[in-house]
Amino acid sequence: MSDKSIYIRPTARFAPTADAAAGSLGFAVAGRRDLLFAAAELIERDGSEIARRIVSAAELCSGPLQLAGLLERLTRRRDPVAGLALDRPLVMGVVNVTPDSFSDGGRYLAADAAIAHALQLEAEGADILDIGAESTRPGAEPVDLQEELRRVMPVIEALAPRVRAPLSIDTRKAEVMRRAARAGAALLNDVSALTHDPAALQVAAETGLPVVLMHAQGDPRTMQDDPRYDDVVLDVYDWLGARIEACERAGIPRSRLLVDPGIGFGKTLAHNLALLGASSIFHGLGCAVLLGASRKSFIGGLTGADAQGRLPGSLAAALLGVAQGLQILRVHDVAATRQALAVWEASRGA
Ligand code: 9MG
């Protein structure tokens, strides 16, 4: 039996017209009338053989039955996430509660600083606030459960009654997910896609919250030690597809899942660039897609800029994602991202 897999990477996005809205010129990704594509790259993988060709929207829509299910997932309207409609790009602001980034190493100061930072990001226009207390940067050491709870819970508890933006909990631990959900978190963001903690699948299902499944190869401590893929884009796609199926088996429906290619997590510069350039393919998984490229080291690898100097590269990556219809951008620089999006959106509507 052949184990052939098929993928559709939407390409050739165009601005809506009356004809296109009627569906005669293109196909609408994720049910969005502003996310129209005139063509796609159709990719077939059979073992180590990969065939690619560009097909028109018309060819795609009249293609074999095998394509129909994939096309349906690609074009189906996405459910709102944490009460937010996915009809325009959303900005998720990054809030780290990590004492080691403060000179005195104090836990209380770190919580106060994180709360103030979150309020600032909300004022700058963040749609979602992603709160995390365990660094998952390359080389980072793990944080134990009690320490993570001590760091992150006061921040979630203080912010939940004060902010309009839904809170996302960035954690790999089931117990942190459970407690954060009870304290008002509205989204789970797990860079291990619920693989790190054996209890995470069940706990995530019990919370009833939407979950971001991010791809990573390896653990933060070692993930940059010579990562390898057969084809990085297709391998990441297949891995995320398998995680979606595991979630569905555990009782989390696809409509509650988001996917993320995990820029920088077990990837070389070439892997990151391939993923960024082809990220519209992930719409085929039938979930909203989140992109986290902000200040990542691939920008430094390309330009030599240090983390504080990577805003221009971060904005370029964000717009590359938005051009491909990605629904959520995880960023450090909310005000600057909002400005870039305002120009992007206004020019498309003009
Ligand atoms: C916590 N964290 C750090 N980088 C991230 C990324 O790219 N995506 C998601 N979902 N979380 C991230």
Side-chain angles (χ1 to χ4, degrees):
M1 208 177 74
S2 161
D3 60 349
K4 195 189 274 187
S5 305
I6 300 192
Y7 313 81
I8 297 173
R9 181 175 71 83
T11 184
R13 184 175 170 186
F14 62 98
T17 64
D19 271 0
S24 57
L25 291 178
F27 57 96
V29 163
R32 272 176 52 184
R33 293 162 69 93
D34 64 324
L35 265 187
L36 291 165
F37 288 82
E41 185 181 31
L42 187 61
I43 306 169
E44 292 177 78
R45 170 149 81 166
D46 194 352
S48 59
E49 301 285 302
I50 300 178
R52 303 168 189 272
R53 64 193 172 95
I54 298 292
V55 294
S56 68
E59 209 183 324
L60 202 60
C61 296
S62 61
L65 208 56
Q66 210 187 349
L67 271 183
L70 175 54
L71 202 55
E72 196 280 321
R73 280 212 304 266
L74 183 70
T75 54
R76 186 194 305 153
R77 193 165 188 76
R78 307 297 184 241
D79 283 356
V81 168
L84 301 171
L86 297 173
D87 53 4
R88 63 176 179 89
L90 299 179
V91 175
M92 171 190 263
V94 177
V95 181
N96 290 320
V97 201
T98 44
D100 53 4
S101 58
F102 297 89
S103 53
D104 77 338
R107 186 175 291 138
Y108 299 105
L109 272 185
D112 285 349
I115 293 163
H117 187 53
L119 295 174
Q120 172 68 29
L121 293 187
E122 185 182 47
E124 290 179 14
D127 298 295
I128 303 170
L129 296 165
D130 189 37
I131 321 290
E134 180 185 49
S135 172
T136 46
R137 281 202 201 107
E141 289 295 326
V143 171
D144 74 37
L145 172 63
Q146 292 311 322
E147 177 60 15
E148 190 174 333
L149 287 169
R150 274 193 295 268
R151 289 183 193 177
V152 82
M153 289 311 298
V155 178
I156 303 265
E157 283 158 3
L159 287 173
R162 283 183 73 178
V163 292
R164 154 200 59 78
L167 300 179
S168 159
I169 175 71
D170 155 21
T171 186
R172 302 183 294 169
K173 298 190 183 73
E175 189 56 21
V176 180
M177 292 175 192
R178 193 195 326 261
R179 300 235 201 140
R182 265 195 230 134
L187 176 64
L188 309 177
N189 176 26
D190 184 348
V191 299
S192 80
L194 307 179
T195 63
H196 176 77
D197 184 333
L201 264 177
Q202 197 193 326
V203 168
E206 284 165 8
T207 65
L209 296 181
V211 186
V212 180
L213 302 174
M214 197 201 78
H215 175 272
Q217 188 185 89
D219 198 70
R221 261 179 304 189
T222 54
M223 64 190 179
Q224 290 308 107
D225 300 347
D226 195 24
R228 287 170 192 240
Y229 299 87
D230 292 333
D231 177 295
V232 65
V233 174
L234 305 188
D235 290 0
V236 169
Y237 184 102
D238 289 347
W239 190 91
L240 288 169
R243 291 311 300 154
I244 291 170
E245 284 171 16
C247 287
E248 287 179 319
R249 285 194 298 275
I252 311 173
R254 193 178 290 253
S255 57
R256 252 178 40 215
L257 297 171
L258 297 90
V259 294
D260 179 339
I263 299 297
F265 283 78
K267 280 118 190 163
T268 63
L269 175 58
H271 294 147
N272 288 317
L273 295 176
L275 286 165
L276 270 179
S279 52
S280 64
I281 197 171
F282 297 105
H283 293 301
L285 291 165
C287 303
V289 187
L290 187 149
L291 179 71
S294 174
R295 298 190 191 171
K296 293 246 166 110
S297 60
F298 80 93
I299 301 169
L302 279 172
T303 63
D306 66 11
Q308 299 308 316
R310 294 178 189 159
L311 176 58
S314 303
L315 295 177
L319 292 184
L320 192 56
V322 165
Q324 294 177 76
L326 308 197
Q327 288 93 343
I328 304 183
L329 303 170
R330 182 180 183 277
V331 305
H332 298 86
D333 303 284
V334 169
T337 306
R338 282 245 85 96
Q339 188 180 93
L341 284 176
V343 173
W344 161 263
E345 283 171 340
S347 67
R348 296 212 36 97

